[in-house]
Amino acid sequence: MSVSVLSPSRLLGGVSGILQVASLLILLLLLIKAAQLYLHRQWLLKALQQFPCPPSHWFFGHFQKFQQDQELQRIRKWVETFPSACPLWLWGGKVRVLLYDPDYMKVILGRSDPKSHGSYRFLAPWIGYGLLLLNGQTWFQHRRMLTPAFHYDILKPYVALMADSVRVMLDKWEKLLDQDSPLEVFQHVSLMTLDTIMKCAFSHQGSIQVDRPSDPTEEGSTTEGRGAGEGQEEEALGFPGHPPRGQREAPGLPRPCCSGCACFRNHLDQMPYTTMCIKEALRLYPPVPSIGRELSTPVTFPDGRSLPKGIMVMLSIYGLHHNPKVWPNPEVFDPSRFAPGSAQHSHAFLPFSGGSRNCIGKQFAMNELKVATALTLLRFELLPDPTRIPIPMARLVLKSKNGIHLRLRRLPNPCEDKDQL
């Protein structure tokens, strides 16, 4: 008796054979992939042998050392232990080389290596491919086209719009003073910044801060709130003739205007102490903690160490600004570091980076910071909430894990004529 070709036993045998062949192919592919990863890791170990680093797990890398938002503390420790640069193993064959020496970073910023595509690609659906994400000739053309719009003289008329946005925020703060509780300021400052951009870039006539009420309980972060500090000059807020805090009524000195937009326009470049305080705050808490670059060609650093093509380097702005070999006592708030003529001044990239891809809007940002700082300190005394000290954590930008909570105290207003704005 013959057995049918389509009998169940033959079908099962055929399926079993196919599965066996498929399993062998998958196993073979896995072995090939494992061999590739092993060879790639060995190549990386050889390429990075000049750069010591803490012990890492063969698969998890240094990931376990950065749990519970301890990344910034680890970076500060590595900066003190490993000179100039240190590899950060992510997992398997993935590695980033952290650079926190100014001479090393200047070498990278002087090149035309593209930005890390992996670190920024998820932003493309939100912001599109503009100056932040573009590379090569297209970036250069866009940059050249936009640069005239950020000329110093072009930005001067925007100061009035900046002052208007800050005043709306400060008026909201006055209404919240009766609540006798610390104010979480991140959302307020974010809306004020958005308001300024909408007015300056898009001629928006309304106020985002009024149209969209902020939620005082929403937590976030910017740089940690600080006062202008103890001024050793008679222009603590930068206004001509403005005395330091506590000496507002010093005899022989003119009374400062509460807002003085004209004063801002004419004297933004004459606010030395305020500028020093802003830069020192940005050094301690850089909004962008690191910038990624992928080496398109090999690079050799001033001390002779080198990296091959294809290695991803991270310019650790946070690490540079907390490097004790560059900044003595880096955790201390000391605005005198940025005094004119200071030798350390050239080592600060702040949030604006450097080289050909430095921030095109740095003058706009500094103007807004000066206006917001001066107007705020003329109306309020800012005190930190000792029960909720901000806990910085590194993401794409520097954030506070628990928000930024401040206690406000209204200061006497020496000038009630707000029409001067």
Side-chain angles (χ1 to χ4, degrees):
M1 181 181 295
S2 62
V3 180
S4 174
V5 177
L6 299 179
S7 65
S9 60
R10 281 185 172 270
L11 288 176
L12 290 176
V15 172
S16 176
I18 293 175
L19 291 176
Q20 290 178 2
V21 173
S23 299
L24 289 174
L25 289 176
I26 292 174
L27 180 59
L28 180 62
L29 291 175
L30 289 176
L31 290 175
I32 294 175
K33 187 63 177 179
Q36 290 177 341
L37 292 175
Y38 175 78
L39 293 176
H40 180 65
R41 181 176 176 84
Q42 292 302 117
W43 176 79
L44 289 174
L45 290 172
K46 183 178 180 180
L48 302 176
Q49 62 183 353
Q50 297 176 309
F51 299 86
C53 69
S56 62
H57 189 272
W58 68 272
F59 182 77
F60 295 107
H62 292 117
F63 180 76
Q64 295 174 323
K65 299 180 182 295
F66 287 90
Q67 297 297 312
Q68 300 178 351
D69 300 318
Q70 298 297 314
E71 180 177 353
L72 298 179
Q73 292 88 332
R74 289 286 180 178
I75 289 177
R76 292 201 300 267
K77 183 177 180 180
W78 288 8
V79 167
E80 296 177 1
T81 307
F82 304 101
S84 305
C86 179
L88 169 63
W89 291 91
L90 303 180
W91 58 270
K94 297 291 184 179
V95 65
R96 304 286 186 268
V97 180
L98 300 181
L99 307 182
Y100 35 78
D101 180 271
D103 295 328
Y104 272 50
M105 298 175 77
K106 288 176 182 177
V107 170
I108 299 299
L109 291 171
R111 294 159 51 98
S112 57
D113 298 305
K115 277 194 171 183
S116 168
H117 179 68
S119 302
Y120 295 93
R121 67 174 182 269
F122 67 91
L123 291 175
W126 298 348
I127 64 176
Y129 283 91
L131 284 183
L132 180 62
L133 302 183
L134 287 175
N135 288 293
Q137 186 64 25
T138 305
W139 169 85
F140 178 77
Q141 292 173 351
H142 286 213
R143 171 85 179 208
R144 184 172 57 181
M145 178 178 64
L146 289 174
T147 296
F150 291 90
H151 188 272
Y152 181 80
D153 292 332
I154 298 295
L155 297 179
K156 279 186 177 181
Y158 293 153
V159 173
L161 301 177
M162 295 175 182
D164 287 339
S165 298
V166 174
R167 190 181 67 229
V168 172
M169 180 186 71
L170 299 179
D171 290 341
K172 291 173 63 178
W173 287 6
E174 287 192 3
K175 297 177 182 178
L176 297 173
L177 284 180
D178 298 334
Q179 297 182 6
D180 192 27
S181 62
L183 180 66
E184 208 292 310
V185 301
F186 171 69
Q187 183 70 3
H188 294 270
V189 175
S190 297
L191 288 177
M192 180 272 292
T193 304
L194 177 60
D195 204 359
T196 299
I197 294 175
M198 291 292 290
K199 291 179 179 179
C200 296
F202 304 107
S203 301
H204 182 68
Q205 299 299 317
S207 174
I208 301 296
Q209 303 176 80
V210 176
D211 300 338
R212 179 187 171 188
S214 62
D215 180 3
T217 64
E218 185 170 345
E219 295 185 347
S221 170
T222 57
T223 56
E224 183 180 45
R226 294 178 181 266
E230 302 299 328
Q232 296 183 359
E233 61 184 277
E234 290 190 349
E235 296 183 2
L237 292 181
F239 297 116
H242 193 291
R245 291 190 305 171
Q247 301 179 12
R248 296 181 182 274
E249 301 299 330
L253 293 175
R255 294 163 64 91
C257 173
C258 65
S259 300
C261 178
C263 186
F264 277 130
R265 280 200 299 266
N266 297 328
H267 299 286
L268 277 180
D269 56 347
Q270 300 177 17
M271 302 173 68
Y273 189 74
T274 302
T275 303
M276 289 159 56
C277 289
I278 291 173
K279 289 184 176 180
E280 176 66 352
L282 293 175
R283 181 193 69 81
L284 277 170
Y285 303 101
V288 180
S290 62
I291 303 172
R293 293 285 191 274
E294 183 175 353
L295 298 181
S296 56
T297 57
V299 61
T300 300
F301 297 109
D303 59 2
R305 295 194 291 183
S306 60
L307 289 172
K309 173 185 176 181
I311 294 291
M312 184 66 66
V313 296
M314 300 298 293
L315 308 182
S316 179
I317 308 298
Y318 185 90
L320 170 67
H321 290 172
H322 291 78
N323 190 339
K325 296 182 180 179
V326 179
W327 310 92
N329 300 318
E331 305 305 318
V332 176
F333 182 82
D334 181 11
S336 65
R337 304 178 197 270
F338 293 92
S342 172
Q344 299 172 334
H345 190 277
S346 62
H347 296 324
F349 293 94
L350 300 180
F352 308 123
S353 185
S356 61
R357 296 198 65 152
N358 66 327
C359 178
I360 193 173
K362 60 182 178 180
Q363 188 62 53
F364 181 93
M366 285 300 296
N367 287 353
E368 185 177 10
L369 284 167
K370 292 178 185 179
V371 171
T373 300
L375 288 181
T376 300
L377 294 179
L378 283 171
R379 291 176 65 173
F380 295 100
E381 180 181 6
L382 308 180
L383 299 173
D385 180 5
T387 65
R388 285 181 285 190
I389 302 298
I391 303 175
M393 60 180 184
R395 294 295 181 265
L396 187 61
V397 295
L398 195 66
K399 296 177 65 69
S400 173
K401 184 178 180 180
N402 58 337
I404 301 178
H405 300 268
L406 298 176
R407 293 186 179 274
L408 308 179
R409 186 176 72 85
R410 182 72 165 86
L411 296 174
N413 191 348
C415 176
E416 295 295 339
D417 185 12
K418 295 184 180 180
D419 292 337
Q420 297 187 50
L421 279 176

